[in-house]
Amino acid sequence: MWKEIGDREFGKLRPNLFSNRIKSARIASIQLSNYKDIISPHRGSVNSLQVDLTEGRYLLSSASDASVAVYDVQRATDYDESGLIAKHKHILLVDKQHEQGHKYAISTANWYPIDTGLFITGSYDHYVNVWDTNTTQVVVNFKMPGKVYKTAMSPVATSHMLIAAGTEDVQVRLCDISSGAFAHTLSGHRDGVMSVEWSASSEWVLVTGGCDGAIRFWDIRRAGCFRVLDQSHTQLGRRPSLLTRSTASKGSTLKPSSGGPNSSAKGRPSQKKMGNGVSIKYSAIARQVRGSGKQRLHPGMLSSQDRATAHYGAVNGLKMTNDGMYLLSAGSDSRLRLWDIESGCNTLVNFETSRLQATKATQLAISHDSTLVFVPCMSTTKAFDLWSGKTMMDLRGHYENVNCCLYNSLDQELFTGGNDRKILVWSPSRTTTEELEGREGQSFAIDQDNWSD
């Protein structure tokens, strides 16, 4: 620690690298917080959690008792008798008693990406509501054809205000907040859609997971999905870095042969002239285009690819890495799979045996550097290494099944909600901080000389 601080002061260590090392060390010591407690007002299972993307300060939670609450996780509302444990009570609560409240369980809740003035809720009463945080009134609502399992808004969108809603209907609907109407529907799944996730690198790409076991990629600017993930389409491990691939491509370039001037002509691909004088090179790409000319359908809509499955059961959880290059999926078959988004391949990362929920959508969380993934596994929350699949932590604190996980990169804290109606906070150990403060004071005493006051 002190060596890294010295390297940072002398400029030997970059600021981002130094910050990531400190955050990684903090998250490695995460445990059930003994200095922060969230007082949950919910009388049903907590189904979803989200911290606003603008300040990382306000926590939004929804529950099965048709209630949604907001907490300030940075400023405590009260303290216990000893003054050591900060209590965070809700600063906003909407329940069944509200005139515009939901009638049945709220399965999902999301903040508006660029402002805390709005939040979105989806419920089993077939409605998606957009709320004004200041007045706690519904600004816009959308009537769905069935129970709402998941809603999501793109965190990088600059040209649209669309809410993607996955319901028990086979179609994914895009709701436009600005017009109050459905923009369009995405058809392709053969059963309900339990999970939706926007791309972290493109505002036009949407990923959906259905009860039919399929994971589909959509470009919302055109009809039809452009990719269906297949669990049998695999690659071993992570994709090599861009530098490694560029070096390999340079080494694999063909060298000119020394067989004479005619040798280069032999290496050229054969050409065939058409009636109009245009020549066609019979390369591998040309043969592929010629062979696929018979089927004019979009690749995602071909019968062979359209029936591909990513899991042997319903896909009830999706989470994309922060760089948008990999996708983690959870299924009712109790399997976790890591996908390379560029190639669409299953990376064959063997996550250690874990039992996942099969009847409802689950919320996964990924650390700031995309090295750890937090997964609700029945009554426990497990942290897996994303690239090896090994279990790094086993967090036990809930009395019943855990439904959702949320990682707050601002304070390196983890929030979990479960059927026991509790919201638990997992924070870095404070003993480490106290030891560092003690060492800092000790080092200051050592550095003092006889001329110090």
Side-chain angles (χ1 to χ4, degrees):
M1 170 67 74
W2 296 107
K3 181 180 181 301
E4 293 175 348
I5 293 177
D7 293 342
R8 172 68 189 94
E9 291 179 350
F10 288 103
K12 298 179 181 179
L13 196 62
R14 294 183 178 179
N16 290 338
L17 182 59
F18 174 77
S19 174
N20 288 334
R21 288 185 181 180
I22 297 298
K23 291 179 179 179
S24 300
R26 283 173 55 83
I27 197 173
S29 63
I30 199 170
Q31 63 181 9
L32 189 61
S33 179
N34 56 2
Y35 55 88
K36 181 180 289 188
D37 186 19
I38 292 183
I39 309 300
S40 173
H42 301 301
R43 297 184 178 180
S45 59
V46 180
N47 295 326
S48 71
L49 297 169
Q50 190 183 27
V51 171
D52 68 284
L53 302 179
T54 55
E55 298 181 64
R57 174 177 177 179
Y58 298 104
L59 175 67
L60 179 68
S61 66
S62 66
S64 296
D65 63 343
S67 64
V68 58
V70 177
Y71 317 84
D72 187 345
V73 296
Q74 297 293 338
R75 181 177 298 177
T77 56
D78 195 6
Y79 289 87
D80 66 341
E81 297 178 355
S82 62
L84 300 177
I85 302 178
K87 296 183 179 295
H88 299 261
K89 297 180 180 179
H90 63 272
I91 58 177
L92 182 148
L93 178 65
V94 178
D95 54 13
K96 282 185 178 180
Q97 306 302 325
H98 194 281
E99 58 181 358
Q100 295 178 316
H102 289 285
K103 296 180 180 179
Y104 302 121
I106 299 178
S107 56
T108 175
N110 308 95
W111 283 111
Y112 186 63
I114 59 175
D115 188 11
T116 56
L118 295 175
F119 64 90
I120 298 94
T121 57
S123 172
Y124 281 4
D125 62 2
H126 302 188
Y127 277 95
V128 172
N129 291 346
V130 180
W131 298 81
D132 187 325
T133 310
N134 298 317
T135 62
T136 63
Q137 298 295 318
V138 175
V139 179
V140 185
N141 63 353
F142 301 91
K143 180 71 168 68
M144 296 294 168
K147 296 178 181 178
V148 181
Y149 292 132
K150 195 72 174 178
T151 60
M153 293 192 71
S154 174
V156 296
T158 58
S159 57
H160 67 76
M161 301 170 60
L162 298 178
I163 305 172
T167 66
E168 61 181 352
D169 186 57
V170 295
Q171 293 180 329
V172 180
R173 284 168 170 78
L174 300 180
C175 314
D176 191 356
I177 298 179
S178 59
S179 64
F182 296 113
H184 54 278
T185 59
L186 307 176
S187 302
H189 284 284
R190 294 178 173 82
D191 205 343
V193 180
M194 294 192 71
S195 52
V196 293
E197 179 83 0
W198 287 93
S199 171
S201 56
S202 174
E203 63 177 313
W204 308 110
V205 177
L206 177 68
V207 188
T208 60
C211 297
D212 55 356
I215 297 177
R216 296 176 179 269
F217 284 71
W218 312 82
D219 187 336
I220 63 174
R221 294 170 295 183
R222 58 181 180 178
C225 65
F226 66 88
R227 176 175 293 165
V228 182
L229 297 184
D230 188 354
Q231 56 185 315
S232 61
H233 186 205
T234 61
Q235 71 180 29
L236 188 60
R238 301 176 63 176
R239 184 172 66 249
S241 62
L242 184 62
L243 180 61
T244 306
R245 282 185 288 171
S246 61
T247 306
S249 62
K250 289 180 181 179
S252 61
T253 53
L254 296 176
K255 297 181 180 180
S257 58
S258 58
N262 297 328
S263 61
S264 60
K266 295 180 180 179
R268 296 174 183 174
S270 60
Q271 297 184 2
K272 181 181 178 181
K273 289 190 176 181
M274 305 295 290
N276 55 3
V278 179
S279 62
I280 300 177
K281 296 183 179 180
Y282 281 93
S283 61
I285 299 177
R287 288 194 299 269
Q288 182 179 0
V289 172
R290 186 185 64 172
S292 62
K294 299 178 181 179
Q295 295 177 333
R296 296 292 184 180
L297 295 177
H298 195 279
M301 303 304 291
L302 300 180
S303 60
S304 59
Q305 298 180 8
D306 190 53
R307 296 183 180 275
T309 58
H311 288 270
Y312 289 114
V315 180
N316 52 19
L318 292 174
K319 186 62 180 179
M320 197 170 291
T321 55
N322 298 327
D323 55 10
M325 297 177 64
Y326 293 89
L327 176 71
L328 183 75
S329 64
S332 60
D333 55 357
S334 292
R335 292 289 185 270
L336 294 171
R337 289 192 171 91
L338 184 66
W339 306 86
D340 187 334
I341 293 180
E342 181 182 359
S343 63
C345 292
N346 177 11
T347 59
L348 295 178
V349 176
N350 184 21
F351 291 92
E352 295 182 356
T353 305
S354 58
R355 186 181 175 189
L356 307 179
Q357 289 198 48
T359 58
K360 61 192 306 185
T362 58
Q363 182 179 336
L364 312 176
I366 291 182
S367 61
H368 62 280
D369 54 356
S370 299
T371 57
L372 289 179
V373 54
F374 300 93
V375 182
C377 300
M378 305 310 287
S379 61
T380 65
T381 302
K382 292 187 177 182
F384 297 97
D385 185 276
L386 190 64
W387 311 114
S388 67
K390 295 182 179 179
T391 303
M392 308 303 293
M393 286 179 279
D394 195 352
L395 307 177
R396 298 178 180 269
H398 287 277
Y399 296 103
E400 297 183 29
N401 291 349
V402 183
N403 298 323
C404 49
C405 299
L406 172 70
Y407 177 76
N408 187 5
S409 59
L410 183 63
D411 298 322
Q412 296 82 55
E413 291 180 334
L414 179 71
F415 300 91
T416 58
N419 290 345
D420 56 359
R421 302 174 291 179
K422 301 293 184 183
I423 300 176
L424 299 183
V425 186
W426 308 83
S427 305
S429 175
R430 272 199 168 182
T431 55
T432 306
T433 307
E434 293 172 356
E435 290 176 359
L436 291 177
E437 290 177 352
R439 289 185 56 183
E440 184 178 0
Q442 184 178 1
S443 62
F444 178 74
I446 294 175
D447 291 339
Q448 286 182 336
D449 53 25
N450 294 331
W451 300 102
S452 301
D453 293 335

